[in-house]
Structures are given as C-alpha cells and as structure tokens.
Amino acid sequence: MDNQAQFNGVKNRFSPGRIAAWVALYATLALTIFPFLWMLRTALSTTKSLPSAPGSLLPVDFTFGAFQRVLGLSSTAQAVAEGGSGASVNFLQYLLNSAIYASLVTIGQVAFGSMAAYAFARLHWKGRDMVFGVFLAALLVPPIFTSLPNFIFIKNIGLLNTIPGMVLPTFFMTPFAIFFLRQFFLGINREIEESAMLDGAGHWRTFFTIIVPMSSAPITTLGILTFINTWNDYFWPLLVGKTEGTKMLTVALGVFRSQTPQGSPDWAGLMAATLISALPVLALFFAFSKKIVDSIGYSGVK
C-alpha cells in the first residue's frame, strides 16, 4: 500500500497538467523579468557601441558612464564621447520633486480616504449607498477624461507650475482608496465599536483610537500603493509642472531621449535614469510585498 501511495504521489507530481502549469509559470516569469535585465544590460553599455551588437544579452563595451551622466558625475565631453546628448539633468532636484509630490498625495489620500471609507462603512445616513455607488462608478472613468477639466481649474486659480496645483486634484481621496478601506472596515466587529460608544466615545474618538489602530495593515498598504502610483505618474506632471521646482523625475527622463549630434537617442542614459528612479519604488514594494498581497486579497474576498 505504501509503495502504491508513493507511486501515485510521484505520478501526480509529474502529471502532464502540472508540468504544463510549471512551464507556463516559468515562461511568464521569464517574460516579466527579461525587460528589466535588458534595461540593465543597456544601462551598462555605451550608446555608441549598442548598434554593434544589438542581439547581445551582455553589456556592450561595459561601463558605468550612463549612471555617471545621470548623477552629473561626468563632463559634457565624456558624455558625448559615450553617445550621450551632453544635456545636463538636475537629477537630485527632480528626485526631490517626485518625493514631495508622491508623499503629499499619499498623506492626503490615506487621511481623507480612511475617514470617508469609515463614513461609508460604519455610519448610517440617508443616501449612503447611492453616494457610494456614484463613487464606484467613478472608478470606470479613465483618468485622461478628467485631466483637461482639472487642468483648466488649476490654471484658473493660478496654481500652474506649483506643487499645490499638482497635488490638489488627487489630494483628498480617490474612489479606489475609499473602496479599498471600506471593504476592511466592514469586517471589523461592530460590538467593539458599540462598547466604545457605551463608554462615551464619539465617532471621532472611536475612529482614531479603535478603527485606525485595528486597520493599520490595509492603511499602510493603501499608502504604499498610492505612493507607487503617484511616483510613476507622468501625464499630469507633464501638463502642470514645467519649471525646475515642479518637474517630476518621470518627465525629466525625456531629456535622455533628446537627439545627439549623431542622431540617435541616449538609450544607455535613459535606461540608467529609469533604473535609478525605479529603485525607491522597488525597495518599498519588496519591503512590504507580503502585507500588500494579503490586504488586497482580503479586500477582494469581502
């Protein structure tokens, strides 16, 4: 019986369906990772040498020159010699702008979104479900459709090329933030909240002393997702931020697409800048990846 059970176990382990699933999994993983490896290979090459070995998986004429150009550590002559455009990029300033922009939007959305989600999940007021339905419907509207009205509004109030003007349209809340936190708040035991009410706690005190501490995991997850999404935002910063003090890193990367005297973009510089700009987001994601997956899964079940 034991031998038969072991045979069946081995047979199930190497069944055609399981093998096909593993092959599909590894193929998907390879397709996902390959663009990042190709980006690293290009960043470690010189732009002038890239056409000589377009199919090579290894860096062509290995160098850290592209990273030095991005960080402003190489001269104009050296940058042009390696195939760069020679244009100067204030990388640290744009990095600081992106950090301020993403942090302010994250703080606003988490604070106001959690309060709105609490009102939709725990408070009883007339028209609550209808208003929440309207918020959910807003999830179906592509952001590109709201960009032009927001731009005109920001222009009319004189906030173009300012950090407040960039932050304002998404500072208070988004439909996703409310939906995400509401799903978690619905699962909190109502008896805990009622006990606090019997002890004299109002809604504000109950929210800040009971609901928020119990919801630290999904609130943290929402903050991370909001920060990553805002950090990668391109179109809105391109519309509103034109000055050095408001230009975001994603927009500034376009400098490396400018033409060199030889007529080809600085691919190595562009890939190096993209890698450096992605590092903070990747570090944040890997540090909290388990918490993000768990919270998203919980919200999807509810």
Side-chain angles (χ1 to χ4, degrees):
M1 289 295 292
D2 292 342
N3 292 335
Q4 183 65 33
Q6 290 178 358
F7 175 76
N8 291 335
V10 173
K11 184 179 179 181
N12 292 333
R13 188 180 303 171
F14 294 101
S15 63
R18 186 179 287 270
I19 293 174
W22 279 108
V23 170
L25 179 64
Y26 280 112
T28 304
L29 185 63
L31 289 174
T32 304
I33 294 177
F34 181 75
F36 294 97
L37 296 179
W38 191 260
M39 191 162 58
L40 180 62
R41 167 259 186 195
T42 304
L44 294 175
S45 306
T46 61
T47 301
K48 282 188 174 179
S49 303
L50 283 173
S52 63
S56 174
L57 296 177
L58 298 176
V60 184
D61 195 7
F62 183 91
T63 177
F64 289 106
F67 291 95
Q68 293 174 340
R69 289 202 299 279
V70 172
L71 299 175
L73 301 177
S74 64
S75 63
T76 302
Q78 184 181 356
V80 173
E82 294 180 351
S85 64
S88 61
V89 178
N90 195 348
F91 188 82
L92 295 180
Q93 176 65 54
Y94 303 145
L95 188 68
L96 177 63
N97 294 343
S98 294
I100 293 174
Y101 172 54
S103 298
L104 289 177
V105 171
T106 301
I107 293 171
Q109 285 198 20
V110 169
F112 293 106
S114 59
M115 287 188 279
Y118 176 72
F120 281 118
R122 313 300 288 190
L123 304 184
H124 297 283
W125 42 281
K126 189 176 181 180
R128 183 190 67 172
D129 294 338
M130 184 183 70
V131 175
F132 182 66
V134 172
F135 265 95
L136 282 186
L139 280 172
L140 304 176
V141 180
I144 189 70
F145 289 161
T146 59
S147 295
L148 183 57
N150 285 334
F151 175 78
I152 295 174
F153 173 70
I154 295 298
K155 181 181 179 183
N156 289 340
I157 62 176
L159 290 180
L160 279 182
N161 297 317
T162 64
I163 292 296
M166 302 188 65
V167 168
L168 189 58
T170 53
F171 180 72
F172 292 103
M173 61 188 76
T174 62
F176 172 75
I178 296 173
F179 172 77
F180 183 81
L181 291 179
R182 176 183 175 272
Q183 299 306 101
F184 184 84
F185 291 162
L186 287 173
I188 296 177
N189 193 339
R190 191 171 288 277
E191 293 179 356
I192 299 174
E193 192 177 355
E194 291 174 350
S195 299
M197 295 287 186
L198 290 176
D199 289 339
H203 288 300
W204 284 106
R205 185 178 174 187
T206 303
F207 175 72
F208 284 110
T209 59
I210 295 178
I211 301 298
V212 170
M214 292 180 66
S215 310
S216 59
I219 289 176
T220 302
T221 301
L222 176 65
I224 295 169
L225 293 177
T226 304
F227 187 90
I228 293 174
N229 187 52
T230 309
W231 182 275
N232 294 326
D233 194 9
Y234 176 78
F235 188 64
W236 180 248
L238 179 67
L239 283 178
V240 181
K242 301 290 186 183
T243 62
E244 287 291 300
T246 57
K247 187 177 288 184
M248 299 297 123
L249 197 54
T250 50
V251 178
L253 291 179
V255 172
F256 289 93
R257 296 206 310 270
S258 60
Q259 297 296 308
T260 67
Q262 291 77 28
S264 61
D266 182 9
W267 292 116
L270 179 61
M271 295 298 106
T274 304
L275 274 175
I276 294 176
S277 66
L279 287 180
V281 176
L282 289 176
L284 200 63
F285 178 79
F286 285 119
F288 297 96
S289 58
K290 187 176 185 303
K291 186 170 291 187
I292 292 173
V293 173
D294 289 346
S295 296
I296 291 177
Y298 181 85
S299 298
V301 170
K302 290 297 294 181

